[in-house]
PDB file of all heavy atoms in Angstrom:
ATOM      1  N   LEU S   1      78.571 112.383 132.136  1.00 94.00           N
ATOM      2  CA  LEU S   1      79.360 113.320 132.926  1.00 94.00           C
ATOM      3  C   LEU S   1      79.482 114.673 132.243  1.00 94.00           C
ATOM      4  O   LEU S   1      79.649 114.766 131.031  1.00 94.00           O
ATOM      5  CB  LEU S   1      80.771 112.774 133.169  1.00 94.00           C
ATOM      6  CG  LEU S   1      80.897 111.529 134.034  1.00 94.00           C
ATOM      7  CD1 LEU S   1      82.351 111.101 134.111  1.00 94.00           C
ATOM      8  CD2 LEU S   1      80.313 111.755 135.415  1.00 94.00           C
ATOM      9  N   ALA S   2      79.451 115.703 133.057  1.00 93.00           N
ATOM     10  CA  ALA S   2      79.769 117.044 132.570  1.00 93.00           C
ATOM     11  C   ALA S   2      81.294 117.126 132.437  1.00 93.00           C
ATOM     12  O   ALA S   2      82.019 116.363 133.077  1.00 93.00           O
ATOM     13  CB  ALA S   2      79.270 118.085 133.564  1.00 93.00           C
ATOM     14  N   PRO S   3      81.796 118.042 131.632  1.00 94.00           N
ATOM     15  CA  PRO S   3      83.249 118.151 131.474  1.00 94.00           C
ATOM     16  C   PRO S   3      84.006 118.313 132.791  1.00 94.00           C
ATOM     17  O   PRO S   3      85.053 117.698 132.984  1.00 94.00           O
ATOM     18  CB  PRO S   3      83.424 119.377 130.570  1.00 94.00           C
ATOM     19  CG  PRO S   3      82.160 119.405 129.762  1.00 94.00           C
ATOM     20  CD  PRO S   3      81.088 118.942 130.715  1.00 94.00           C
ATOM     21  N   HIS S   4      83.489 119.111 133.717  1.00 89.00           N
ATOM     22  CA  HIS S   4      84.194 119.298 134.993  1.00 89.00           C
ATOM     23  C   HIS S   4      84.176 118.020 135.832  1.00 89.00           C
ATOM     24  O   HIS S   4      85.122 117.754 136.565  1.00 89.00           O
ATOM     25  CB  HIS S   4      83.617 120.488 135.772  1.00 89.00           C
ATOM     26  CG  HIS S   4      82.272 120.255 136.362  1.00 89.00           C
ATOM     27  ND1 HIS S   4      81.109 120.382 135.638  1.00 89.00           N
ATOM     28  CD2 HIS S   4      81.904 119.882 137.619  1.00 89.00           C
ATOM     29  CE1 HIS S   4      80.083 120.108 136.424  1.00 89.00           C
ATOM     30  NE2 HIS S   4      80.536 119.797 137.629  1.00 89.00           N
ATOM     31  N   GLU S   5      83.148 117.204 135.709  1.00 90.00           N
ATOM     32  CA  GLU S   5      83.103 115.933 136.427  1.00 90.00           C
ATOM     33  C   GLU S   5      84.125 114.950 135.850  1.00 90.00           C
ATOM     34  O   GLU S   5      84.818 114.255 136.590  1.00 90.00           O
ATOM     35  CB  GLU S   5      81.706 115.334 136.371  1.00 90.00           C
ATOM     36  CG  GLU S   5      80.682 116.149 137.125  1.00 90.00           C
ATOM     37  CD  GLU S   5      79.259 115.711 136.879  1.00 90.00           C
ATOM     38  OE1 GLU S   5      78.924 115.320 135.734  1.00 90.00           O
ATOM     39  OE2 GLU S   5      78.466 115.761 137.830  1.00 90.00           O
ATOM     40  N   ALA S   6      84.222 114.904 134.533  1.00 91.00           N
ATOM     41  CA  ALA S   6      85.212 114.035 133.891  1.00 91.00           C
ATOM     42  C   ALA S   6      86.628 114.467 134.252  1.00 91.00           C
ATOM     43  O   ALA S   6      87.494 113.625 134.516  1.00 91.00           O
ATOM     44  CB  ALA S   6      85.013 114.062 132.369  1.00 91.00           C
ATOM     45  N   ALA S   7      86.856 115.773 134.310  1.00 88.00           N
ATOM     46  CA  ALA S   7      88.178 116.281 134.694  1.00 88.00           C
ATOM     47  C   ALA S   7      88.492 115.900 136.133  1.00 88.00           C
ATOM     48  O   ALA S   7      89.625 115.536 136.455  1.00 88.00           O
ATOM     49  CB  ALA S   7      88.236 117.799 134.509  1.00 88.00           C
ATOM     50  N   TRP S   8      87.505 115.981 137.018  1.00 85.00           N
ATOM     51  CA  TRP S   8      87.723 115.593 138.408  1.00 85.00           C
ATOM     52  C   TRP S   8      88.091 114.116 138.508  1.00 85.00           C
ATOM     53  O   TRP S   8      89.035 113.758 139.195  1.00 85.00           O
ATOM     54  CB  TRP S   8      86.484 115.896 139.256  1.00 85.00           C
ATOM     55  CG  TRP S   8      86.670 115.493 140.673  1.00 85.00           C
ATOM     56  CD1 TRP S   8      87.431 116.130 141.606  1.00 85.00           C
ATOM     57  CD2 TRP S   8      86.137 114.342 141.313  1.00 85.00           C
ATOM     58  NE1 TRP S   8      87.385 115.444 142.802  1.00 85.00           N
ATOM     59  CE2 TRP S   8      86.594 114.349 142.645  1.00 85.00           C
ATOM     60  CE3 TRP S   8      85.296 113.313 140.902  1.00 85.00           C
ATOM     61  CZ2 TRP S   8      86.247 113.364 143.562  1.00 85.00           C
ATOM     62  CZ3 TRP S   8      84.949 112.332 141.817  1.00 85.00           C
ATOM     63  CH2 TRP S   8      85.428 112.370 143.128  1.00 85.00           C
ATOM     64  N   LEU S   9      87.365 113.261 137.788  1.00 87.00           N
ATOM     65  CA  LEU S   9      87.717 111.838 137.797  1.00 87.00           C
ATOM     66  C   LEU S   9      89.133 111.627 137.278  1.00 87.00           C
ATOM     67  O   LEU S   9      89.887 110.834 137.828  1.00 87.00           O
ATOM     68  CB  LEU S   9      86.729 111.021 136.965  1.00 87.00           C
ATOM     69  CG  LEU S   9      85.423 110.648 137.631  1.00 87.00           C
ATOM     70  CD1 LEU S   9      84.568 109.825 136.673  1.00 87.00           C
ATOM     71  CD2 LEU S   9      85.627 109.898 138.927  1.00 87.00           C
ATOM     72  N   ALA S  10      89.490 112.321 136.223  1.00 87.00           N
ATOM     73  CA  ALA S  10      90.839 112.181 135.674  1.00 87.00           C
ATOM     74  C   ALA S  10      91.887 112.606 136.701  1.00 87.00           C
ATOM     75  O   ALA S  10      92.958 111.996 136.788  1.00 87.00           O
ATOM     76  CB  ALA S  10      90.978 113.014 134.397  1.00 87.00           C
ATOM     77  N   SER S  11      91.572 113.606 137.520  1.00 83.00           N
ATOM     78  CA  SER S  11      92.531 114.049 138.529  1.00 83.00           C
ATOM     79  C   SER S  11      92.770 112.987 139.593  1.00 83.00           C
ATOM     80  O   SER S  11      93.808 112.980 140.240  1.00 83.00           O
ATOM     81  CB  SER S  11      92.063 115.350 139.191  1.00 83.00           C
ATOM     82  OG  SER S  11      91.032 115.106 140.139  1.00 83.00           O
ATOM     83  N   LEU S  12      91.844 112.088 139.780  1.00 82.00           N
ATOM     84  CA  LEU S  12      92.006 111.024 140.770  1.00 82.00           C
ATOM     85  C   LEU S  12      93.063 110.007 140.361  1.00 82.00           C
ATOM     86  O   LEU S  12      93.602 109.306 141.216  1.00 82.00           O
ATOM     87  CB  LEU S  12      90.682 110.281 140.988  1.00 82.00           C
ATOM     88  CG  LEU S  12      89.543 111.060 141.615  1.00 82.00           C
ATOM     89  CD1 LEU S  12      88.313 110.163 141.734  1.00 82.00           C
ATOM     90  CD2 LEU S  12      89.929 111.627 142.955  1.00 82.00           C
ATOM     91  N   LEU S  13      93.356 109.919 139.096  1.00 84.00           N
ATOM     92  CA  LEU S  13      94.305 108.902 138.619  1.00 84.00           C
ATOM     93  C   LEU S  13      95.701 109.079 139.200  1.00 84.00           C
ATOM     94  O   LEU S  13      96.442 108.118 139.317  1.00 84.00           O
ATOM     95  CB  LEU S  13      94.372 108.902 137.093  1.00 84.00           C
ATOM     96  CG  LEU S  13      93.138 108.333 136.408  1.00 84.00           C
ATOM     97  CD1 LEU S  13      93.213 108.582 134.917  1.00 84.00           C
ATOM     98  CD2 LEU S  13      92.986 106.860 136.719  1.00 84.00           C
ATOM     99  N   ARG S  14      96.054 110.279 139.568  1.00 81.00           N
ATOM    100  CA  ARG S  14      97.398 110.535 140.100  1.00 81.00           C
ATOM    101  C   ARG S  14      97.616 109.788 141.418  1.00 81.00           C
ATOM    102  O   ARG S  14      98.610 109.106 141.584  1.00 81.00           O
ATOM    103  CB  ARG S  14      97.620 112.028 140.264  1.00 81.00           C
ATOM    104  CG  ARG S  14      99.031 112.359 140.680  1.00 81.00           C
ATOM    105  CD  ARG S  14      99.293 113.824 140.678  1.00 81.00           C
ATOM    106  NE  ARG S  14      98.341 114.492 141.556  1.00 81.00           N
ATOM    107  CZ  ARG S  14      98.169 115.794 141.620  1.00 81.00           C
ATOM    108  NH1 ARG S  14      98.865 116.572 140.846  1.00 81.00           N
ATOM    109  NH2 ARG S  14      97.311 116.326 142.443  1.00 81.00           N
ATOM    110  N   GLN S  15      96.743 109.944 142.358  1.00 80.00           N
ATOM    111  CA  GLN S  15      96.807 109.266 143.666  1.00 80.00           C
ATOM    112  C   GLN S  15      95.368 109.102 144.151  1.00 80.00           C
ATOM    113  O   GLN S  15      94.910 109.878 144.993  1.00 80.00           O
ATOM    114  CB  GLN S  15      97.591 110.080 144.688  1.00 80.00           C
ATOM    115  CG  GLN S  15      99.054 110.223 144.383  1.00 80.00           C
ATOM    116  CD  GLN S  15      99.725 111.103 145.420  1.00 80.00           C
ATOM    117  OE1 GLN S  15      99.217 112.169 145.768  1.00 80.00           O
ATOM    118  NE2 GLN S  15     100.849 110.658 145.915  1.00 80.00           N
ATOM    119  N   PRO S  16      94.654 108.124 143.638  1.00 77.00           N
ATOM    120  CA  PRO S  16      93.214 108.067 143.905  1.00 77.00           C
ATOM    121  C   PRO S  16      92.834 108.044 145.380  1.00 77.00           C
ATOM    122  O   PRO S  16      91.955 108.794 145.796  1.00 77.00           O
ATOM    123  CB  PRO S  16      92.747 106.806 143.185  1.00 77.00           C
ATOM    124  CG  PRO S  16      93.953 106.095 142.737  1.00 77.00           C
ATOM    125  CD  PRO S  16      95.105 107.038 142.800  1.00 77.00           C
ATOM    126  N   ASP S  17      93.469 107.236 146.185  1.00 78.00           N
ATOM    127  CA  ASP S  17      93.066 107.155 147.587  1.00 78.00           C
ATOM    128  C   ASP S  17      93.364 108.446 148.346  1.00 78.00           C
ATOM    129  O   ASP S  17      92.565 108.889 149.176  1.00 78.00           O
ATOM    130  CB  ASP S  17      93.710 105.947 148.270  1.00 78.00           C
ATOM    131  CG  ASP S  17      93.164 104.636 147.724  1.00 78.00           C
ATOM    132  OD1 ASP S  17      91.940 104.567 147.473  1.00 78.00           O
ATOM    133  OD2 ASP S  17      93.949 103.697 147.536  1.00 78.00           O
ATOM    134  N   VAL S  18      94.494 109.073 148.048  1.00 80.00           N
ATOM    135  CA  VAL S  18      94.850 110.342 148.693  1.00 80.00           C
ATOM    136  C   VAL S  18      93.871 111.434 148.260  1.00 80.00           C
ATOM    137  O   VAL S  18      93.362 112.204 149.086  1.00 80.00           O
ATOM    138  CB  VAL S  18      96.306 110.744 148.352  1.00 80.00           C
ATOM    139  CG1 VAL S  18      96.622 112.149 148.829  1.00 80.00           C
ATOM    140  CG2 VAL S  18      97.274 109.738 148.930  1.00 80.00           C
ATOM    141  N   GLN S  19      93.607 111.513 146.971  1.00 77.00           N
ATOM    142  CA  GLN S  19      92.695 112.537 146.456  1.00 77.00           C
ATOM    143  C   GLN S  19      91.276 112.354 147.003  1.00 77.00           C
ATOM    144  O   GLN S  19      90.612 113.325 147.363  1.00 77.00           O
ATOM    145  CB  GLN S  19      92.669 112.511 144.925  1.00 77.00           C
ATOM    146  CG  GLN S  19      93.980 112.821 144.265  1.00 77.00           C
ATOM    147  CD  GLN S  19      94.429 114.246 144.500  1.00 77.00           C
ATOM    148  OE1 GLN S  19      93.642 115.124 144.849  1.00 77.00           O
ATOM    149  NE2 GLN S  19      95.711 114.503 144.332  1.00 77.00           N
ATOM    150  N   LEU S  20      90.822 111.113 147.076  1.00 79.00           N
ATOM    151  CA  LEU S  20      89.478 110.857 147.600  1.00 79.00           C
ATOM    152  C   LEU S  20      89.376 111.193 149.086  1.00 79.00           C
ATOM    153  O   LEU S  20      88.361 111.725 149.533  1.00 79.00           O
ATOM    154  CB  LEU S  20      89.072 109.407 147.349  1.00 79.00           C
ATOM    155  CG  LEU S  20      88.714 109.092 145.897  1.00 79.00           C
ATOM    156  CD1 LEU S  20      88.651 107.594 145.684  1.00 79.00           C
ATOM    157  CD2 LEU S  20      87.404 109.761 145.513  1.00 79.00           C
ATOM    158  N   ALA S  21      90.411 110.904 149.845  1.00 78.00           N
ATOM    159  CA  ALA S  21      90.405 111.250 151.265  1.00 78.00           C
ATOM    160  C   ALA S  21      90.313 112.765 151.432  1.00 78.00           C
ATOM    161  O   ALA S  21      89.557 113.268 152.268  1.00 78.00           O
ATOM    162  CB  ALA S  21      91.661 110.712 151.949  1.00 78.00           C
ATOM    163  N   ARG S  22      91.062 113.493 150.623  1.00 79.00           N
ATOM    164  CA  ARG S  22      91.012 114.957 150.690  1.00 79.00           C
ATOM    165  C   ARG S  22      89.628 115.459 150.319  1.00 79.00           C
ATOM    166  O   ARG S  22      89.075 116.341 150.963  1.00 79.00           O
ATOM    167  CB  ARG S  22      92.063 115.568 149.758  1.00 79.00           C
ATOM    168  CG  ARG S  22      92.097 117.071 149.812  1.00 79.00           C
ATOM    169  CD  ARG S  22      93.292 117.622 149.027  1.00 79.00           C
ATOM    170  NE  ARG S  22      93.433 119.031 149.249  1.00 79.00           N
ATOM    171  CZ  ARG S  22      92.902 119.957 148.457  1.00 79.00           C
ATOM    172  NH1 ARG S  22      92.222 119.619 147.391  1.00 79.00           N
ATOM    173  NH2 ARG S  22      93.058 121.236 148.720  1.00 79.00           N
ATOM    174  N   TRP S  23      89.042 114.890 149.273  1.00 75.00           N
ATOM    175  CA  TRP S  23      87.715 115.281 148.833  1.00 75.00           C
ATOM    176  C   TRP S  23      86.682 115.014 149.920  1.00 75.00           C
ATOM    177  O   TRP S  23      85.835 115.834 150.196  1.00 75.00           O
ATOM    178  CB  TRP S  23      87.379 114.535 147.542  1.00 75.00           C
ATOM    179  CG  TRP S  23      85.971 114.711 147.062  1.00 75.00           C
ATOM    180  CD1 TRP S  23      85.380 115.866 146.651  1.00 75.00           C
ATOM    181  CD2 TRP S  23      85.001 113.684 146.928  1.00 75.00           C
ATOM    182  NE1 TRP S  23      84.091 115.615 146.271  1.00 75.00           N
ATOM    183  CE2 TRP S  23      83.836 114.280 146.430  1.00 75.00           C
ATOM    184  CE3 TRP S  23      85.004 112.317 147.183  1.00 75.00           C
ATOM    185  CZ2 TRP S  23      82.680 113.557 146.177  1.00 75.00           C
ATOM    186  CZ3 TRP S  23      83.860 111.600 146.926  1.00 75.00           C
ATOM    187  CH2 TRP S  23      82.705 112.220 146.438  1.00 75.00           C
ATOM    188  N   ARG S  24      86.768 113.858 150.565  1.00 77.00           N
ATOM    189  CA  ARG S  24      85.830 113.521 151.639  1.00 77.00           C
ATOM    190  C   ARG S  24      85.968 114.496 152.814  1.00 77.00           C
ATOM    191  O   ARG S  24      84.984 114.880 153.428  1.00 77.00           O
ATOM    192  CB  ARG S  24      86.074 112.095 152.124  1.00 77.00           C
ATOM    193  CG  ARG S  24      85.498 111.059 151.219  1.00 77.00           C
ATOM    194  CD  ARG S  24      85.618 109.678 151.871  1.00 77.00           C
ATOM    195  NE  ARG S  24      85.660 108.647 150.871  1.00 77.00           N
ATOM    196  CZ  ARG S  24      86.737 107.951 150.499  1.00 77.00           C
ATOM    197  NH1 ARG S  24      87.881 108.142 151.107  1.00 77.00           N
ATOM    198  NH2 ARG S  24      86.660 107.058 149.564  1.00 77.00           N
ATOM    199  N   ASP S  25      87.203 114.877 153.121  1.00 80.00           N
ATOM    200  CA  ASP S  25      87.449 115.751 154.278  1.00 80.00           C
ATOM    201  C   ASP S  25      87.117 117.218 154.019  1.00 80.00           C
ATOM    202  O   ASP S  25      86.658 117.915 154.911  1.00 80.00           O
ATOM    203  CB  ASP S  25      88.910 115.643 154.730  1.00 80.00           C
ATOM    204  CG  ASP S  25      89.252 114.286 155.315  1.00 80.00           C
ATOM    205  OD1 ASP S  25      88.326 113.530 155.676  1.00 80.00           O
ATOM    206  OD2 ASP S  25      90.454 113.984 155.400  1.00 80.00           O
ATOM    207  N   THR S  26      87.407 117.679 152.816  1.00 80.00           N
ATOM    208  CA  THR S  26      87.297 119.115 152.542  1.00 80.00           C
ATOM    209  C   THR S  26      86.353 119.484 151.407  1.00 80.00           C
ATOM    210  O   THR S  26      86.099 120.666 151.199  1.00 80.00           O
ATOM    211  CB  THR S  26      88.683 119.695 152.194  1.00 80.00           C
ATOM    212  OG1 THR S  26      89.107 119.131 150.942  1.00 80.00           O
ATOM    213  CG2 THR S  26      89.708 119.419 153.276  1.00 80.00           C
ATOM    214  N   ALA S  27      85.906 118.506 150.655  1.00 72.00           N
ATOM    215  CA  ALA S  27      85.092 118.739 149.451  1.00 72.00           C
ATOM    216  C   ALA S  27      85.859 119.551 148.419  1.00 72.00           C
ATOM    217  O   ALA S  27      85.278 120.163 147.539  1.00 72.00           O
ATOM    218  CB  ALA S  27      83.763 119.388 149.781  1.00 72.00           C
ATOM    219  N   ALA S  28      87.192 119.561 148.523  1.00 63.00           N
ATOM    220  CA  ALA S  28      88.036 120.311 147.594  1.00 63.00           C
ATOM    221  C   ALA S  28      88.762 119.357 146.653  1.00 63.00           C
ATOM    222  O   ALA S  28      89.045 118.238 147.014  1.00 63.00           O
ATOM    223  CB  ALA S  28      89.052 121.152 148.353  1.00 63.00           C
TER     224      ALA S  28
END
């Protein structure tokens, strides 16, 4: 993983399903 990819995965730990749904919908 690149550093930004690892940081993105770490951000999922807060609310993984909510964050993934947002990512799928908006790519943000």
Side-chain angles (χ1 to χ4, degrees):
L1 294 177
H4 72 278
E5 293 170 323
W8 179 74
L9 279 181
S11 77
L12 294 179
L13 288 171
R14 186 173 57 191
Q15 293 177 314
D17 292 320
V18 171
Q19 298 294 341
L20 286 167
R22 182 172 189 266
W23 173 64
R24 282 188 206 106
D25 292 343
T26 67

